[in-house]
Amino acid sequence: MKILLPLDIINPPELVMEYLQHLIPLDDREVHLLYVNEAWPAYESVLGSSGHFPEDWRYKLEARAAQQLDLAAERLKGKCLKVSTEIVSGPPAMMIETVARDEHCDITVMCPGKHAVVERVLLGSVSSKVLKHGPGTIVIGRPLEKPLERLSQIVIGVDGSANSIDALRRAVEIFKLNTSAAKILLVHSVDIADPVKYLSPIEFISALEQNLLMEGESILADAKRILSDLQVKNVDVALVEGKPQGQIIKIAESSKADLVIIGAEGKTAIQHFLLGSVSHKVARYAPCAVAVVKRQHTPSEHQ
């Protein structure tokens, strides 16, 4: 399994490396460290024609990036199977997605760094684009007030869809939940689409809600059984009512979760949602790291 970790030259690589180690088991994984030198053709042209700019700014930038990558790689030595580094130039999101595909990375970890307000509320334009278009599992980190010592509480959203079940199984593999001491909370939210609520008789809505609650209990029981079959212990369930994104975020906050795991697409009552709705909103507003597991991925071990 291969992990792509884009870095910048602003945030200390030590903090990012420590965060990565406690978020994802690394011992038998490859880590590819990436720095993207954003291309500013017009700006570079102006600097190149200026007689008052004595140093090659692009060279200095890449030299600094290489230094940071080397420091990060040094910290990972002996803690993962293999470490590689790469510097590329171009639009950040597009280059991250391209490298992830070219290197056959299973997981891309986006660490926003210290600009917490912008990244927490807006997710960040680069992280948002990678989340939407990047291959494999996308993990969105969160700036921390103190280092994450280990994963202790994980919330997993399930809805009974094929992608949700696939995400559940992949999560066990990626985060090695079968050997983790973390508490797992499976969450299923029952929500009836607004048009159905407003246009249907109360009796119909009541009957539909009861059926969905019974279905939700079955979905949670099946998900818990799957985890049990995969030797995952310490699992609890929560059946709630309301918009899935809002309920998952609320539960993540109240349980002080370290990580939320969710499939990239799934289903709600009478309607389907794609990335950009539930998964994207959870990734934007959750108070902790979020792993979005996509159905279509190209595992490195199958190459």
Side-chain angles (χ1 to χ4, degrees):
M1 187 172 289
K2 195 168 188 178
I3 301 168
L4 175 64
L5 179 62
L7 296 175
D8 58 37
I9 61 173
I10 299 174
N11 297 292
E14 297 85 359
L15 183 60
V16 178
M17 293 304 100
E18 186 174 5
Y19 183 66
L20 177 66
Q21 292 170 51
H22 292 116
L23 187 63
I24 303 175
L26 300 178
D27 53 333
D28 58 350
R29 279 86 187 270
E30 296 182 33
V31 179
H32 190 65
L33 302 173
L34 175 70
Y35 172 74
V36 181
N37 186 1
E38 186 171 2
W40 297 330
Y43 186 48
E44 188 176 35
S45 176
V46 170
L47 289 176
S49 62
S50 174
H52 302 289
F53 197 81
E55 298 174 327
D56 184 346
W57 69 276
R58 184 162 190 161
Y59 173 80
K60 290 190 65 176
L61 193 64
E62 293 195 354
R64 173 64 173 166
Q67 182 184 40
Q68 294 288 76
L69 291 175
D70 288 343
L71 287 173
E74 187 63 32
R75 289 189 66 88
L76 288 177
K77 281 186 179 178
K79 297 175 181 176
C80 61
L81 187 63
K82 180 182 177 182
V83 186
S84 54
T85 63
E86 183 177 3
I87 297 177
V88 297
S89 296
M94 185 182 76
M95 298 311 300
I96 291 170
E97 295 161 23
T98 300
V99 172
R101 290 189 174 88
D102 291 348
E103 293 291 328
H104 309 301
C105 294
D106 307 89
I107 309 164
T108 299
V109 181
M110 303 296 295
C111 290
K114 292 187 177 181
H115 22 76
V117 175
V118 174
E119 293 287 357
R120 170 75 182 275
V121 178
L122 302 179
L123 181 63
S125 60
V126 175
S127 297
S128 182
K129 289 175 183 176
V130 172
L131 180 63
K132 287 183 178 180
H133 306 297
T137 294
I138 310 298
V139 178
I140 305 295
R142 285 289 185 268
L144 300 176
E145 295 180 1
K146 58 181 181 180
L148 176 68
E149 295 181 358
R150 66 181 179 88
L151 289 177
S152 58
Q153 180 73 50
I154 300 173
V155 171
I156 305 179
V158 295
D159 62 14
S161 66
N163 187 61
S164 176
I165 299 302
D166 180 64
L168 191 63
R169 295 182 185 278
R170 286 286 291 168
V172 174
E173 178 186 7
I174 291 170
F175 297 98
K176 296 188 178 181
L177 301 183
N178 56 332
T179 60
S180 173
K183 296 179 180 178
I184 311 296
L185 180 60
L186 298 172
V187 178
H188 177 77
S189 183
V190 170
D191 177 50
I192 301 174
D194 289 339
V196 178
K197 286 182 184 178
Y198 298 141
L199 299 177
S200 302
I202 294 178
E203 296 80 5
F204 174 78
I205 295 298
S206 178
L208 177 60
E209 187 174 53
Q210 290 304 310
N211 289 336
L212 290 173
L213 286 170
M214 288 190 292
E215 181 188 37
E217 291 176 353
S218 177
I219 288 171
L220 287 171
D222 287 343
K224 190 172 182 180
R225 175 186 54 78
I226 289 170
L227 290 183
S228 178
D229 291 344
L230 295 172
Q231 307 303 312
V232 179
K233 301 181 172 74
N234 206 3
V235 179
D236 204 352
V237 300
L239 180 60
V240 295
E241 297 183 57
K243 299 295 182 185
Q245 58 268 39
Q247 292 302 315
I248 291 172
I249 292 169
K250 184 185 297 184
I251 289 174
E253 290 174 342
S254 63
S255 66
K256 300 187 185 307
D258 302 304
L259 174 67
V260 171
I261 301 171
I262 190 169
E265 59 184 34
K267 64 181 182 181
T268 57
I270 319 299
Q271 68 179 142
H272 292 264
F273 61 79
L274 298 176
L275 183 64
S277 179
V278 174
S279 300
H280 197 259
K281 287 178 180 176
V282 171
R284 287 181 67 182
Y285 299 112
C288 57
V290 176
V292 177
V293 185
K294 301 184 181 183
R295 181 179 301 180
Q296 295 181 346
H297 61 275
T298 307
S300 58
E301 61 266 27
H302 293 167
Q303 298 302 317

PDB file of all heavy atoms in Angstrom, residues 54-67:
ATOM      1  N   PRO A  54      18.252  40.077  -7.616  1.00  0.00           N
ATOM      2  CA  PRO A  54      19.554  39.465  -7.880  1.00  0.00           C
ATOM      3  C   PRO A  54      19.592  37.942  -7.775  1.00  0.00           C
ATOM      4  O   PRO A  54      20.523  37.329  -8.264  1.00  0.00           O
ATOM      5  CB  PRO A  54      20.455  40.105  -6.820  1.00  0.00           C
ATOM      6  CG  PRO A  54      19.513  40.390  -5.683  1.00  0.00           C
ATOM      7  CD  PRO A  54      18.213  40.779  -6.325  1.00  0.00           C
ATOM      8  N   GLU A  55      18.633  37.317  -7.098  1.00  0.00           N
ATOM      9  CA  GLU A  55      18.712  35.878  -6.861  1.00  0.00           C
ATOM     10  C   GLU A  55      17.652  35.120  -7.648  1.00  0.00           C
ATOM     11  O   GLU A  55      16.591  35.652  -7.986  1.00  0.00           O
ATOM     12  CB  GLU A  55      18.564  35.583  -5.371  1.00  0.00           C
ATOM     13  CG  GLU A  55      19.666  36.206  -4.525  1.00  0.00           C
ATOM     14  CD  GLU A  55      19.394  36.020  -3.047  1.00  0.00           C
ATOM     15  OE1 GLU A  55      18.214  36.022  -2.680  1.00  0.00           O
ATOM     16  OE2 GLU A  55      20.354  35.891  -2.294  1.00  0.00           O
ATOM     17  N   ASP A  56      17.956  33.903  -7.942  1.00  0.00           N
ATOM     18  CA  ASP A  56      17.028  33.036  -8.643  1.00  0.00           C
ATOM     19  C   ASP A  56      16.008  32.505  -7.627  1.00  0.00           C
ATOM     20  O   ASP A  56      16.259  31.539  -6.911  1.00  0.00           O
ATOM     21  CB  ASP A  56      17.782  31.873  -9.297  1.00  0.00           C
ATOM     22  CG  ASP A  56      16.872  30.990 -10.131  1.00  0.00           C
ATOM     23  OD1 ASP A  56      15.630  31.105 -10.011  1.00  0.00           O
ATOM     24  OD2 ASP A  56      17.407  30.172 -10.886  1.00  0.00           O
ATOM     25  N   TRP A  57      14.841  33.143  -7.556  1.00  0.00           N
ATOM     26  CA  TRP A  57      13.866  32.793  -6.527  1.00  0.00           C
ATOM     27  C   TRP A  57      13.348  31.371  -6.689  1.00  0.00           C
ATOM     28  O   TRP A  57      13.088  30.667  -5.722  1.00  0.00           O
ATOM     29  CB  TRP A  57      12.692  33.788  -6.546  1.00  0.00           C
ATOM     30  CG  TRP A  57      11.826  33.679  -7.766  1.00  0.00           C
ATOM     31  CD1 TRP A  57      12.044  34.258  -8.971  1.00  0.00           C
ATOM     32  CD2 TRP A  57      10.624  32.927  -7.882  1.00  0.00           C
ATOM     33  NE1 TRP A  57      11.053  33.918  -9.855  1.00  0.00           N
ATOM     34  CE2 TRP A  57      10.158  33.097  -9.199  1.00  0.00           C
ATOM     35  CE3 TRP A  57       9.882  32.130  -7.012  1.00  0.00           C
ATOM     36  CZ2 TRP A  57       9.002  32.504  -9.681  1.00  0.00           C
ATOM     37  CZ3 TRP A  57       8.729  31.537  -7.469  1.00  0.00           C
ATOM     38  CH2 TRP A  57       8.293  31.727  -8.794  1.00  0.00           C
ATOM     39  N   ARG A  58      13.214  30.936  -7.933  1.00  0.00           N
ATOM     40  CA  ARG A  58      12.687  29.591  -8.144  1.00  0.00           C
ATOM     41  C   ARG A  58      13.681  28.535  -7.657  1.00  0.00           C
ATOM     42  O   ARG A  58      13.301  27.534  -7.049  1.00  0.00           O
ATOM     43  CB  ARG A  58      12.380  29.383  -9.621  1.00  0.00           C
ATOM     44  CG  ARG A  58      11.731  28.040  -9.912  1.00  0.00           C
ATOM     45  CD  ARG A  58      11.054  28.029 -11.252  1.00  0.00           C
ATOM     46  NE  ARG A  58      10.259  26.840 -11.423  1.00  0.00           N
ATOM     47  CZ  ARG A  58       9.292  26.723 -12.309  1.00  0.00           C
ATOM     48  NH1 ARG A  58       8.983  27.755 -13.080  1.00  0.00           N
ATOM     49  NH2 ARG A  58       8.607  25.603 -12.433  1.00  0.00           N
ATOM     50  N   TYR A  59      14.951  28.776  -7.916  1.00  0.00           N
ATOM     51  CA  TYR A  59      15.985  27.839  -7.452  1.00  0.00           C
ATOM     52  C   TYR A  59      15.993  27.780  -5.922  1.00  0.00           C
ATOM     53  O   TYR A  59      16.085  26.703  -5.324  1.00  0.00           O
ATOM     54  CB  TYR A  59      17.359  28.276  -7.968  1.00  0.00           C
ATOM     55  CG  TYR A  59      18.489  27.460  -7.399  1.00  0.00           C
ATOM     56  CD1 TYR A  59      18.789  26.203  -7.917  1.00  0.00           C
ATOM     57  CD2 TYR A  59      19.241  27.956  -6.327  1.00  0.00           C
ATOM     58  CE1 TYR A  59      19.827  25.444  -7.371  1.00  0.00           C
ATOM     59  CE2 TYR A  59      20.276  27.208  -5.787  1.00  0.00           C
ATOM     60  CZ  TYR A  59      20.564  25.955  -6.308  1.00  0.00           C
ATOM     61  OH  TYR A  59      21.572  25.210  -5.766  1.00  0.00           O
ATOM     62  N   LYS A  60      15.907  28.931  -5.274  1.00  0.00           N
ATOM     63  CA  LYS A  60      15.907  28.968  -3.819  1.00  0.00           C
ATOM     64  C   LYS A  60      14.698  28.248  -3.251  1.00  0.00           C
ATOM     65  O   LYS A  60      14.786  27.534  -2.237  1.00  0.00           O
ATOM     66  CB  LYS A  60      15.914  30.423  -3.329  1.00  0.00           C
ATOM     67  CG  LYS A  60      17.227  31.157  -3.569  1.00  0.00           C
ATOM     68  CD  LYS A  60      17.245  32.482  -2.855  1.00  0.00           C
ATOM     69  CE  LYS A  60      17.216  32.311  -1.360  1.00  0.00           C
ATOM     70  NZ  LYS A  60      17.322  33.602  -0.635  1.00  0.00           N
ATOM     71  N   LEU A  61      13.559  28.421  -3.912  1.00  0.00           N
ATOM     72  CA  LEU A  61      12.328  27.784  -3.452  1.00  0.00           C
ATOM     73  C   LEU A  61      12.453  26.264  -3.512  1.00  0.00           C
ATOM     74  O   LEU A  61      12.123  25.555  -2.555  1.00  0.00           O
ATOM     75  CB  LEU A  61      11.150  28.258  -4.305  1.00  0.00           C
ATOM     76  CG  LEU A  61       9.743  27.942  -3.792  1.00  0.00           C
ATOM     77  CD1 LEU A  61       9.489  28.663  -2.471  1.00  0.00           C
ATOM     78  CD2 LEU A  61       8.708  28.366  -4.821  1.00  0.00           C
ATOM     79  N   GLU A  62      12.950  25.764  -4.631  1.00  0.00           N
ATOM     80  CA  GLU A  62      13.066  24.317  -4.791  1.00  0.00           C
ATOM     81  C   GLU A  62      14.166  23.745  -3.889  1.00  0.00           C
ATOM     82  O   GLU A  62      14.060  22.610  -3.424  1.00  0.00           O
ATOM     83  CB  GLU A  62      13.313  23.963  -6.252  1.00  0.00           C
ATOM     84  CG  GLU A  62      12.112  24.270  -7.145  1.00  0.00           C
ATOM     85  CD  GLU A  62      12.203  23.608  -8.514  1.00  0.00           C
ATOM     86  OE1 GLU A  62      13.253  23.008  -8.814  1.00  0.00           O
ATOM     87  OE2 GLU A  62      11.222  23.698  -9.268  1.00  0.00           O
ATOM     88  N   ALA A  63      15.204  24.524  -3.644  1.00  0.00           N
ATOM     89  CA  ALA A  63      16.256  24.072  -2.732  1.00  0.00           C
ATOM     90  C   ALA A  63      15.705  23.940  -1.317  1.00  0.00           C
ATOM     91  O   ALA A  63      16.011  22.976  -0.596  1.00  0.00           O
ATOM     92  CB  ALA A  63      17.425  25.055  -2.753  1.00  0.00           C
ATOM     93  N   ARG A  64      14.893  24.911  -0.927  1.00  0.00           N
ATOM     94  CA  ARG A  64      14.254  24.855   0.391  1.00  0.00           C
ATOM     95  C   ARG A  64      13.302  23.659   0.471  1.00  0.00           C
ATOM     96  O   ARG A  64      13.251  22.951   1.478  1.00  0.00           O
ATOM     97  CB  ARG A  64      13.495  26.156   0.644  1.00  0.00           C
ATOM     98  CG  ARG A  64      12.644  26.179   1.898  1.00  0.00           C
ATOM     99  CD  ARG A  64      13.471  26.064   3.146  1.00  0.00           C
ATOM    100  NE  ARG A  64      12.642  26.249   4.330  1.00  0.00           N
ATOM    101  CZ  ARG A  64      13.030  25.953   5.558  1.00  0.00           C
ATOM    102  NH1 ARG A  64      14.248  25.483   5.763  1.00  0.00           N
ATOM    103  NH2 ARG A  64      12.229  26.146   6.589  1.00  0.00           N
ATOM    104  N   ALA A  65      12.562  23.432  -0.607  1.00  0.00           N
ATOM    105  CA  ALA A  65      11.622  22.304  -0.645  1.00  0.00           C
ATOM    106  C   ALA A  65      12.373  20.981  -0.532  1.00  0.00           C
ATOM    107  O   ALA A  65      11.957  20.073   0.198  1.00  0.00           O
ATOM    108  CB  ALA A  65      10.804  22.347  -1.931  1.00  0.00           C
ATOM    109  N   ALA A  66      13.487  20.860  -1.250  1.00  0.00           N
ATOM    110  CA  ALA A  66      14.280  19.637  -1.208  1.00  0.00           C
ATOM    111  C   ALA A  66      14.797  19.381   0.212  1.00  0.00           C
ATOM    112  O   ALA A  66      14.822  18.237   0.685  1.00  0.00           O
ATOM    113  CB  ALA A  66      15.444  19.741  -2.185  1.00  0.00           C
ATOM    114  N   GLN A  67      15.177  20.452   0.889  1.00  0.00           N
ATOM    115  CA  GLN A  67      15.660  20.330   2.264  1.00  0.00           C
ATOM    116  C   GLN A  67      14.556  19.813   3.184  1.00  0.00           C
ATOM    117  O   GLN A  67      14.778  18.922   4.014  1.00  0.00           O
ATOM    118  CB  GLN A  67      16.164  21.688   2.761  1.00  0.00           C
ATOM    119  CG  GLN A  67      16.745  21.654   4.172  1.00  0.00           C
ATOM    120  CD  GLN A  67      17.140  23.043   4.645  1.00  0.00           C
ATOM    121  OE1 GLN A  67      16.437  24.026   4.403  1.00  0.00           O
ATOM    122  NE2 GLN A  67      18.277  23.124   5.334  1.00  0.00           N
TER     123      GLN A  67
END
